Amino acid sequence: MTKLFTYIRESQIWKSIFRHGYPDTPRNRTLAVLSNVFLHLHPVKVRRSGIRLSYTWCMGGLTFFLFLILTLTGLLLMFYYRPTADKAYEDIFALREHVPIGVMREMHRWGAHLMVISVWLHMYRVFLTGSYKPPREFNWNVGVILLVLTLLLSFTGYLLPWDQLAVWAITVGTNMARATPFLGHEGPGAALVSFGGIDFIHAGDDVRFGLLAGRFVGEGALLRFYVLHCVGFPLIAATLMAVHFWRVRKDGGISGPL
Amino acid sequence: MHLALATLLGGGGAPVHDGPIAAGLKNFSNWLTEPTRYSVASILAVVGILYFRKFFAQVWVITAFFALSTAYFVFAFQDPNFNAIITKPDNVPIVILFATVIFFSWLALRRAVINDERTKRGEPTLEGELAKQKVFTWPDLVYTELICLILFTAGMVVWSILITAPIEEPAATARTPNPSKAPWYFLGLQELLVYFDPWLAGVLLPSFIIVGLCAIPYLDLNPKGNGYYTFEERPFAIAFFWVGFLLFWVSFVILGTFLRGPNWSFFGPFEFWDLHKLEPMVNVDLSTYFWVELMDKPRPDNPFVREAPGIVALIGYFLVLPPLFGKTVMKKLVEEMGMVRFNVFMHLFLWFVLIPVKMGLRWTVDLKYFIGMPEYFFNV
Ligand code: HEM
């Protein structure tokens, strides 16, 4: 048995992948982190205080993990879902009937709820430990954008089941855009945006119209939300997460007393 | 599923007849959760907990709290109305939010109290002691991450098997459900719609929240409390975030989910969601107070004259208060922060304070708008 393991570890294939020995010496442990593109987002060494659950609550890590779960389950859901007004509801409904022991939709929905909670708690912890203070000001800002993106991801996904809950929640949410100052047709100052007696801002061209591709939550909105939910926002979020983790490392690892 | 769980715990089905104690507890809960009392009680709770933090940071306090909450929950579960709202699958996360937020707030408070005492005695903080040691990411951190990950995944799978994701009737743009609620994480903003118009509650205030969050690192110049829990080294910052996050965000989400029913009317946790419950709207504009009640005249026709009292009041609030404070009580702050920072801070802060001010005025004198110019969609 040991011989077999040794044989595998000595093979050219293994060695071509892992450029270090078993990580039980300082040198190999360092190499284990540095020579792995994913692990090397971590620093090689961390403060013992920084990895205690009672300090970080593991909420940032959990948020990231939830993002991964959501990407995976979301991908599987995309195989079954067509984003059109007459198919969307049917497809989601059919998941229940046609997919045995299907938990992908559940994982995706509950995971999405949890990600919102965990990202709030993460921000709460970062605030309470004062971890936004220099040198981490910039990373806090990256975090704020990630928070907004998380909410947007969840919001765009909310529409996709195309049931009463979905459509009306998005209606209530996007109705707010009507009242955007100057840019929404019921917003203060919108009447000022006119030229020669022609109003430029009306229900057919204000920001809400732009969001929904129409005056109501309809087929256009569904497609728009679908594309943003499945491609646009995840790409931006993933990119910013890479920046976020990289900065955690570059700013001296997880914060601790100086 | 829903019914099965309810019968298991003894609730649901035929209406139960409450004994005097049960009925009293339910009536008290309904009474206490009425939005005015709910908000005032939560403010008192936050202030009280921060003030008596040594008491609240003890382990038995949080244990007792969760034990009592669980007991209450089991009791409340027998009630069909409570049961109906709490067992909605999409409301499970809100219960999780409630429990985790309270637990972590307690944990942070506890560590802050311990750290503050240690600092006073000249000892290093809890984090300070451990921070001296450095450990390898592999294996220490990677293993912690892996274990968290596995336990967490197991929990998610069990949850997903137990509770099926709901799907309602197909979308019908002609049939508006009542209540129509935004997704739960925006219910804090929807609650603000009771007090502010959409352009404020739905557009301006959220923008200020985002801008304000981004500005925090550049406005908080206190170098202390970086990398450990503390209260006494940054009392204002912590109290501010508690009020902002716990009260105006999380507790409003809970209020909006469980206590707001049809027409966004208030319903106690044990109250039936009656579609016909109407709350009388008796709110009065500031201009009416000024012209009709104070001057004993009809309101002027010109909207700018009519709304002059409110315009003056708000200009005073936003433009006079910052320099006034800067020259007097906050002189030191201005010197530390500089003019730009101070003004940005004051304006964000005044917007934040406007929320409870307006809420208070609504509850006490039924104030509708400071400035009410529906002609221009400009209502504050
Ligand atoms: C998608 C959302 C996010 C993900 C996946 C994420 C992930 C992480 C992770 C894994 C860490 C390492 C420490 C820890 O786990 O606590 C971290 C640290 C940090 N995060 Fe986030 N985060 C997110 C959102 C945010 C938000 C909303 C904020 C603040 C507004 C924020 C600010 C920070 C800061 C300042 C640090 C450094 C903390 C320290 O050094 O103690 N992040 N983040």
Side-chain angles (χ1 to χ4, degrees), chain A residues 56 60-61 63-64 115 119 122-123 125-126 131 136 139-140 143-144 146-147 150 241 244-245 248 253-255:
Chain A
T56 63
T63 310
F64 179 57
M115 183 168 166
V119 77
H122 173 57
M123 177 186 72
R125 163 330 253 174
V126 170
S131 303
R136 296 186 181 78
N139 215 12
W140 167 270
V144 174
L146 280 170
L147 169 78
T150 308
M241 280 182 203
H244 195 59
F245 302 153
V248 170
I254 293 176
S255 59

Side-chain angles (χ1 to χ4, degrees), chain B residues 69-84:
Chain B
S69 305
T70 315
Y72 183 84
F73 194 79
V74 171
F75 157 75
F77 222 76
Q78 327 283 319
D79 183 275
N81 295 318
F82 187 90
N83 197 305

